[in-house]
Amino acid sequence: ASENLMPAQRSASLFDAPHGEACAVPAGTGKAWADAARSAGVTAVVIDTGAVATKDALLSTLGKALRFPDYFRRNWDSFEECLSDLSWIEGKRVVVHMGPLDALSNADPASVETLISIAQDAIATHGQHGRTLWVLIANTKPPAGLRERKTAR
């Protein structure tokens, strides 16, 4: 899993932007997005959330994959605090690709809305501290309120 946290070198247009964003991407594209990110020198973390159908499972899965500190608790406030930090992950430019979130979208759409809102706040916080965060959410049906991107180019 630690190899998913190593940056690489070349360039891809989404990752050339000076600011991060949250966006919807097609399901099943995690490897392609991670490769594009690494080519642009961006640290990539790809998280399989296909089996996630509850808020608790989502927060647990994300906390483990993002190596949140021991003080992380499976609640939205703690998630926002940790996602807004990520100082333990190598690099000042990080992309988090998670998906699919179809099961959670069907079972608990409010949790997906909260996740997106927190991601957008965390992106802004990273920007204020000279870091860049992208959160890519892969789903069969793109979540409402997110710009859709088909590719990194």
Side-chain angles (χ1 to χ4, degrees):
S2 63
E3 65 201 19
N4 285 343
L5 303 177
M6 300 303 295
Q9 299 311 307
R10 287 181 309 204
S11 155
S13 63
L14 172 67
F15 304 115
D16 289 337
H19 54 81
E21 73 175 279
C23 54
V25 298
T29 59
K31 182 181 181 333
W33 280 99
D35 289 347
R38 290 183 184 117
S39 292
V42 176
T43 301
V45 182
V46 177
I47 306 168
D48 180 359
T49 55
V52 170
T54 66
K55 171 187 146 187
D56 273 353
L58 175 70
L59 295 176
S60 179
T61 299
L62 296 178
K64 286 177 188 168
L66 291 167
R67 298 183 305 160
F68 284 173
D70 291 339
Y71 62 80
F72 172 67
R73 299 293 174 251
R74 288 187 314 238
N75 63 61
W76 290 123
D77 289 337
S78 187
F79 176 72
E80 182 169 20
E81 179 181 342
C82 291
L83 188 64
S84 295
D85 184 351
L86 298 181
S87 60
W88 51 88
I89 293 179
E90 182 181 339
K92 290 186 150 234
R93 302 169 68 220
V94 177
V95 61
V96 176
H97 178 288
M98 64 182 82
L101 283 175
D102 294 299
L104 184 64
S105 294
N106 292 331
D108 186 1
S111 283
V112 175
E113 290 174 18
T114 301
L115 170 67
I116 292 167
S117 176
I118 289 172
Q120 290 168 332
D121 289 346
I123 289 164
T125 299
H126 280 269
Q128 293 166 0
H129 291 56
R131 299 184 313 262
T132 309
L133 174 66
W134 292 269
V135 177
L136 309 180
I137 298 178
N139 228 18
T140 303
K141 180 182 174 195
L146 285 184
R147 176 178 175 193
E148 288 184 62
R149 287 199 172 262
K150 300 293 183 196
T151 67
R153 300 191 192 285

